[in-house]
């Protein structure tokens, strides 16, 4: 099946079996290995991508479902070598250890901040509660998301 | 040594070298290796716990179009054995099946769907053998032996250490506390499951794997498969988490075998989550029995410890886990009379192996609860009893070994005592809302660093000046997420006065970097860091000397390194590193330096097994943790609300990395305390996914405040000691002590699930009614 | 090769179902795709209902609200009408899975999964939800409680889909309470859950109450005797403790990997004590 969708700002067309999981399509056919697989069953959030503005799990989406959608993966955040404030904050705030959960975390946080520019700690924790991280204990991730939100709010003022 | 650099200062939070690639999704983990015409390899597992393999039927699988190879032990040319200390694990079963995860056959296929189908088509016959699922059964008279050739029967390793009058001294103690404890298996649950990518071409086997030990892997692969070591190359990208679970062979040998049988084709193996949970190594289940004797004033006199670890069917690193457990069993206290004995026992359960903490979390869980029970009996506060008995430098530890290096336990205790959070927590406790119980608890721990007296704890640092004038650091030890590679960059940056742009990291690769031991035992930064310091000094001198030659200056010491260049201080003349590099031959631009960590010459035991497995250590880190918990009376659920840890791990090279290690360790420790229980029935794992094996989510963890004493350890690079493991030793007893403080109940089985606690609370309530 | 279809209208759907009689339906896929991965089922044709507009709306009528079966749980949570009338349902949704799961999963999928641990079911039972089932030729409506027969078993007929869920606005309850006891705070399957709707008089007498429990039996458990016992009694710990004992006597939960039967039984009763907390009771009714 020929599937057309917008991937990280670019229109793409791929020929793929329609029941191929989105995570496999991205990783194996489109070479976007930033989308990770940690469980394949919706439990860990490592495969989080943004589809039409909402976070979805690429391990529980079939390729056919992407048809006509606007899809953002971790590779789509950086623009002309410039990181997003959220990515900068993850680096500065020490939110990254092994980094396997990081793409999913960053995209989840990105979607959160798009809707709730200045989230409380409780809102942040609940927003990332579907993304398991085994390395950090989450604290620096939460702090980094807050840092990014505050930096952005500061800029807006 | 103190920091001299302005650009790359030691002691400041430097962003991690790997952060940018990881946050943009471009970092290539072992899981991310693909090739256009790549094959997939997978394992046919036994699925049963104990049997003699008779016949394997491969015909149907082989007939399937798209199946490239179906292999059994008959296809293995080498020893077909793997293991770290005792090589007792077959790569592919050739005789006995000893646990459900044993590999019967290996399949290589064109894609994953075919692979799955082929694996289903393989059948085998076997003769069932009596199974051993408990340690008691393994030790019973006439129990079937897992390894007929092992001289100690079903005991992999045992040890007994005694000081003073040993357990006999308990009789003379005014107060004796006795208790048993049982701790569950813990799963590493790294997000990147076991994986690798291999190719065999031009007589060379190349494997990129998610591993902590590329050099040891190379030797094991070569021996098991009958290859020359130089024909095997292992590349170790950043791990997506490891925590000990990738200390030892996972996919490597089988992947190598697959590649040998499909020359020229790239092959990928990547275990699914269930496969990882079901068949990877676990933290050992442990059963412990403690007796602690003290005077009425709370002075510890005597201790008796018996600890058994369920090591599953293979050694893996079970011997080391036992040895470390024994060494730390008495905690960081002065106890003149001790008898500490333990066994690592073979069973048909999943493999017990390396996991951050290596046996220490289990014994600390028991000892630190014993100490709190002693506090209750003597009327001392938990802090007071620890201050009274805690070790300081020069004291003997419970093994009778004199603590010669920095020993900051008492300072940690005092810092906890004074911390505002402790006072806040006490106030908070008094304000428990209806339906809730609140409590505060502490625990004190120590953790040895390095391999101990026998196995050489060495590292070889290689450093090069590239033709482009950048310094290349060849990391010999894996960064499994703990950020040690960044620390190396920081050390080299500091000593060579270079910025990020002029430093480059080469990750472990047996063809490029030099053997430097495992990424484990809290030794990674200490040992390699010391090796790297030496390498930096050699190379610095060399470039300065050559700069002096080229500018016709007599004294090379008049030169100083600046980012990308050298300056002659008296004249201000500069020479770019790139130009200098052109003057040096490639051989001259490379240096290497070996470092071997000092060992403890004290001999608390003559048992060569225990010495080999690490007893005694020379350098210890210390820590004291405090937790405030809230219990929901209706459900028994425990929530950790506040957490504080004070650690003596020497100086901090990078405070952010220190906090990362601490918070991550505490989080795993909280999971170990409250949720994590890898349940096994008849040798088969029952909790094989994240829905049933519960690790904490962001909503289950509190803010964790982590402070360091920052007192230098003189032998450490820039004064540091290890910090990778100690954080996970303390949370369980800290939380158990807090729970007991809240409700007066002490459970003996862990994790402290809501169900267990509610049952204990109910029992307590029923008893109260009876009285 | 497997096929995947994504009909936009009923007529497209009916046609697809005629052509592919054995096709499996899915909406969010958070249940079906997990089952496929576990090789519990292996359908060759899949029909995804995600774009079927007819089941994707929330409509308000005079005396009831109709929720399209394909509405995602996240959209329900964001909907002011749902929040206004059915706080107990929102509380349950908030505890379901994770944010990502709620973004994908639908309310219809949760009903059709018919799991005893399905978090929307206890609230929907006591809200007395009715289901609308449609096929090309038929349309029927029946109470949810009559539709679910056991774990994964419903009264759906071949060719039918669940199209809408109707929930009456009345009677109005001031007390709405849902709680799930799971093994952690997110991504947890209910060990026990309770949903409650209740009204109390100014003298704190219970004037009306409806209760339902999840994960206590093969389907959602309701205990009319306990409700009858509570009516007319004063809402206080003594009353609730007495009711809790009744609950413990009446339920027969199972033991599984997550918890033992004793624990489930005890907590099922104990959870009633939460109803005494003023925060769970709205002073002004909707
Ligand atoms: C990680 C994870 C966590 C979860 N946590 C929870 C939890 O906490 N609580 C909980 O209750 N559930 C949980 N679930 C289960 C699942 O998410 C829910 O049951 C969800 O509501 C299913 O909705 P769906 O739209 O994704 O269903 P689908 O997977 O799309 O469908 C499920 C079943 O319903 C059928 N179906 C769907 N829509 C219709 C329709 N309109 N008409 C007829 N048949 C239909 C399908 O054929 C299929 O058999 C979890 C799942 C995952 C993966
Ligand atoms: S891989 Fe998709 S949620 Fe874990
Ligand atoms: S950083 Fe390793 S899983 Fe989050």
């Amino acid at each position: 099946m020929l599937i057309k969708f917008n991937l990280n700002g670019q229109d793409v067309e791929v020929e793929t079996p329609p029941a191929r999981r989105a995570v496999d399509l991205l990783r194996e056919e489109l070479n976007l290995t930033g989308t990770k697989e940690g469980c394949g069953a919706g439990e860990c959030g490592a495969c989080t991508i943004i589809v039409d503005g909402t976070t979805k799990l690429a391990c529980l989406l079939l390729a056919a479902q992407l048809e006509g959608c606007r899809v953002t993966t971790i590779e789509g955040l950086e623009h002309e070598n410039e990181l997003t404030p959220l990515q900068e904050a993850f680096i500065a705030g020490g939110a990254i250890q092994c980094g396997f959960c990081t793409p999913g975390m960053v995209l989840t946080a990105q979607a959160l901040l798009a809707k709730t520019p200045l989230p409380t700690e409780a809102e942040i924790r609940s927003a990332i509660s579907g993304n398991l991280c085994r390395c950090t204990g989450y604290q620096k991730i939460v702090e980094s998301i807050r840092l990014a939100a505050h930096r952005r709010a500061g800029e807006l003022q | 040594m103190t920091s001299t650099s302005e650009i790359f200062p030691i002691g400041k939070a430097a962003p991690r070298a790997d952060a940018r690639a990881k946050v943009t999704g471009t970092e290539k983990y072992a899981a991310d290796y693909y090739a256009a015409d790549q094959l997939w390899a997978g394992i046919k597992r036994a699925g049963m716990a104990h049997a003699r393999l008779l016949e394997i039927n491969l015909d149907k699988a082989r007939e399937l179009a798209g199946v490239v190879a179906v292999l059994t032990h008959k296809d293995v040319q080498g020893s077909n054995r793997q293991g770290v200390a005792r090589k007792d694990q077959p790569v592919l079963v050739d005789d006995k099946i000893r646990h459900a995860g044993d590999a019967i056959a290996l399949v290589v296929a064109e894609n994953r769907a075919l692979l799955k189908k082929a694996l289903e088509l393989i059948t085998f016959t076997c003769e069932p053998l009596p199974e051993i699922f408990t340690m008691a059964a393994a030790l019973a008279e006439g129990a079937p032996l897992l390894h007929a050739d092992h001289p100690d029967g079903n005991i992999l390793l045992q040890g007994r250490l005694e000081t003073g009058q040993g357990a006999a001294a308990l009789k003379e103690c005014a107060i004796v506390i006795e208790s048993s404890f049982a701790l569950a298996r813990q799963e590493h649950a790294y997000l990147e499951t076991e994986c690798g990518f291999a190719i065999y071409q031009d007589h060379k086997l190349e494997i990129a794997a998610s591993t902590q030990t590329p050099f040891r892997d190379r030797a094991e692969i070569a021996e098991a498969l009958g290859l020359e070591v130089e024909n095997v190359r292992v590349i170790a990208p950043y791990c997506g988490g490891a925590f000990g679970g990738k200390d030892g062979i996972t996919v490597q040998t089988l992947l190598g075998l697959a590649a040998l049988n499909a020359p020229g084709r790239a092959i990928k193996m990547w275990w699914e989550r269930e496969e990882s949970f079901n068949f990877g190594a676990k933290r050992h289940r442990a059963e412990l029995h403690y007796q602690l004797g003290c005077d009425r004033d709370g002075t510890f006199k005597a201790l008796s410890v018996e600890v058994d670890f369920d090591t599953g069917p293979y050694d893996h690193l079970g011997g080391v886990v036992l040895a470390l457990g024994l060494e730390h069993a008495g905690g960081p206290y002065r106890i003149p009379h001790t008898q500490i004995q333990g066994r690592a026992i073979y069973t048909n359960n999943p493999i017990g192996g390396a996991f951050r903490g290596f046996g220490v979390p289990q014994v600390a869980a028991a000892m630190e609860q014993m100490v709190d029970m002693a506090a209750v009996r003597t009327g001392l506060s938990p802090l007071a009893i620890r201050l009274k008995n805690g070790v300081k430098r020069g004291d003997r530890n419970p093994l009778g070994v004199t603590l010669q290096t920095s020993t900051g336990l008492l300072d940690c205790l005092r810092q906890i005592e004074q911390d505002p959070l402790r006072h806040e927590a006490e106030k908070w406790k008094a304000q428990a809302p209806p339906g809730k119980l609140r409590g505060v608890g502490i625990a004190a721990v120590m953790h040895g660093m390095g391999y101990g007296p026998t196995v050489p704890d060495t590292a070889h640092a290689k450093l090069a000046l590239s033709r482009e004038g950048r310094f290349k650091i060849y990391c010999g030890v894996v960064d499994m997420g703990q950020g040690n590679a960044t620390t190396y960059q920081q050390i080299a940056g500091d000593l060579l006065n270079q910025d990020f742009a002029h430093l480059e990291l080469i990750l472990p690769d047996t063809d490029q970097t030099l053997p430097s031991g495992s990424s484990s035992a809290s030794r990674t930064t200490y040992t390699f860091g010391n090796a790297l310091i030496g390498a930096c000094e050699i190379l610095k001198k060399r470039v300065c000397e050559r700069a002096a030659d080229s500018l016709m200056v007599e004294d090379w010491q008049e030169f100083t390194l600046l980012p990308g260049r050298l300056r002659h201080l008296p004249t201000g003349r500069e020479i770019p590193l790139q130009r200098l590099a052109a003057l040096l031959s490639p051989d001259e631009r490379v240096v290497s330096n070996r470092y071997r960590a000092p060992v403890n010459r004290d001999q608390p035991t003559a048992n060569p097994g225990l010495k080999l497995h690490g007893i005694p250590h020379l350098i210890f880190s210390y820590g004291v943790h405090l937790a405030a918990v809230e219990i929901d009376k209706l459900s028994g659920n425990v929530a950790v609300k506040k957490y504080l840890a004070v650690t003596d791990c020497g100086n901090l090279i990078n405070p952010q990395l220190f906090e990362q290690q601490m918070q991550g360790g505490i989080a795993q420790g909280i999971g170990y305390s409250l949720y994590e229980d890898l349940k096994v029935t008849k040798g088969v794992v029952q909790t094989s996914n994240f829905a049933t094996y519960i690790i904490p989510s962001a909503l289950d963890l509190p803010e964790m405040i982590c402070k360091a004493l920052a007192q230098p350890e003189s032998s450490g690079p820039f004064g540091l000691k290890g910090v990778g493991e100690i954080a996970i030793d303390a949370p369980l007893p800290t939380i158990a002590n807090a729970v007991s403080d809240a409700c007066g109940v002490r459970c003996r089985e862990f994790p402290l699930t809501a169900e267990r606690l509610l049952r204990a609370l109910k029992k307590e309530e029923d008893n109260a009614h009876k009285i | 090769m497997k096929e995947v279809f994504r009909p936009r209208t009923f007529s497209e759907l009916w046609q697809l179902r005629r052509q592919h009689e054995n096709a499996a339906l899915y909406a969010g896929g958070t249940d079906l795709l997990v089952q496929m991965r576990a090789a519990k089922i292996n359908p060759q044709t899949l029909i995804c209902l995600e774009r079927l507009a007819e089941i994707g709306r929330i409509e308000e009528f005079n005396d009831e609200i109709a929720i399209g079966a394909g509405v995602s749980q996240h959209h329900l949570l964001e909907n002011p009408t749902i929040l206004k009338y059915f706080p107990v349902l929102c509380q349950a949704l908030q505890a379901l899975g994770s944010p990502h799961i709620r973004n994908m999963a639908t309310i219809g999928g949760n009903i059709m999964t018919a799991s005893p641990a399905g978090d929307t079911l206890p609230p929907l039972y006591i809200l007395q939800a009715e289901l609308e089932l449609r096929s090309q030729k038929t349309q029927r409506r029946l109470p949810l409680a009559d539709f679910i027969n056991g774990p994964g078993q419903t009264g759906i007929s071949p060719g039918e889909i669940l199209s809408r869920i109707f929930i009456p606005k009345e009677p109005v309850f001031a007390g709405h309470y849902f709680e799930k006891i799971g093994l952690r705070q997110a991504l947890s399957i209910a060990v026990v859950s309770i949903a409650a709707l209740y009204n109390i008089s100014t003298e704190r007498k219970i004037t009306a109450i409806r209760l339902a429990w999840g994960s206590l039996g093969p389907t959602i458990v309701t205990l009319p005797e306990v409700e009858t016992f509570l009516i007319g009694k004063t809402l206080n710990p003594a009353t609730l403790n007495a009711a809790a004992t009744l609950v413990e006597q009446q339920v027969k939960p199972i033991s599984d990997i997550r918890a033992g039967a004793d624990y489930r039984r005890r907590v099922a009763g104990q959870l009633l004590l939460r109803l005494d907390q003023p925060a769970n009771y709205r002073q002004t009714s909707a």
Side-chain angles (χ1 to χ4, degrees), chain C residues 208-270:
Chain C
I209 187 157
R210 292 183 190 165
L211 300 165
W213 285 264
S215 287
L216 277 188
T219 60
I220 299 308
V221 167
T222 51
L223 297 170
E225 279 175 52
V226 175
E227 292 175 8
T228 316
F229 169 81
L230 283 166
I231 298 280
K233 300 238 165 44
T234 308
L235 182 69
N236 61 26
T239 307
L240 295 170
N241 265 317
T245 309
L246 263 185
V247 172
E248 285 188 43
Q249 285 163 1
Q250 299 208 1
V251 297
K252 287 188 215 58
I254 55 152
S255 294
D256 65 9
I257 194 73
R258 292 192 172 86
D262 286 347
Y263 180 72
R264 288 200 156 94
R265 190 179 303 117
R266 174 146 177 97
V267 174
Q270 289 287 300

Side-chain angles (χ1 to χ4, degrees), chain B residues 646-663:
Chain B
V646 179
T647 310
D648 163 32
C649 55
N651 274 346
L652 303 185
I653 289 194
N654 183 336
Q656 196 175 68
L657 290 181
F658 159 75
E659 283 184 3
Q660 289 182 341
Q661 280 304 294
M662 291 303 300
Q663 291 170 354

Side-chain angles (χ1 to χ4, degrees), chain C residues 181-192:
Chain C
I181 301 294
L183 299 181
R184 69 183 148 201
Q185 298 303 311
L187 282 168
S188 77
I189 303 299
V191 164
V192 192

Side-chain angles (χ1 to χ4, degrees), chain A residues 41-43 60, chain C residues 25-34 49 55 69 73 95-97 101 104-106 108-110 112-113 117-119 156 160-162 180 187-189:
Chain A
E43 303 279 348
L60 295 182
Chain C
L25 294 183
Y26 75 102
T30 62
D31 197 78
L32 187 97
L33 298 184
V34 172
L49 303 176
I55 62 165
Q73 296 165 0
L96 193 151
I101 295 293
M104 303 173 76
T106 62
N110 201 243
M112 292 305 302
T113 301
D119 284 324
I156 199 151
E160 271 183 335
I161 68 154
L162 172 60
K180 167 161 81 175
L187 282 168
S188 77
I189 303 299

Side-chain angles (χ1 to χ4, degrees), chain A residues 28 36 98 134 139-140, chain B residues 29 32 112 659 676 704:
Chain A
E28 295 177 17
K36 304 298 182 198
C98 87
R134 190 54 158 169
Q139 187 164 327
K140 288 188 182 297
Chain B
Y29 298 83
D32 298 332
R112 269 185 287 185
E659 283 184 3
E676 299 184 33
M704 295 164 272

Side-chain angles (χ1 to χ4, degrees), chain A residues 21 23 36-48 56-60 130, chain B residues 191 273 690, chain C residues 100-101:
Chain A
R21 300 183 309 162
V23 65
K36 304 298 182 198
E37 178 169 353
C39 70
E43 303 279 348
C44 77
C47 65
T48 307
K56 301 248 164 125
L57 299 169
C59 71
L60 295 182
Chain B
L191 278 200
R273 174 56 57 191
F690 283 121
Chain C
H100 308 310
I101 295 293

Side-chain angles (χ1 to χ4, degrees), chain B residues 48-49 99-101 133 278-279 348-350 680-686:
Chain B
M48 64 184 64
H99 81 131
F133 298 128
N278 288 343
F279 308 125
N348 296 118
N349 288 321
V680 175
T681 307
K682 292 193 176 296
V684 176
V685 173
Q686 306 294 308

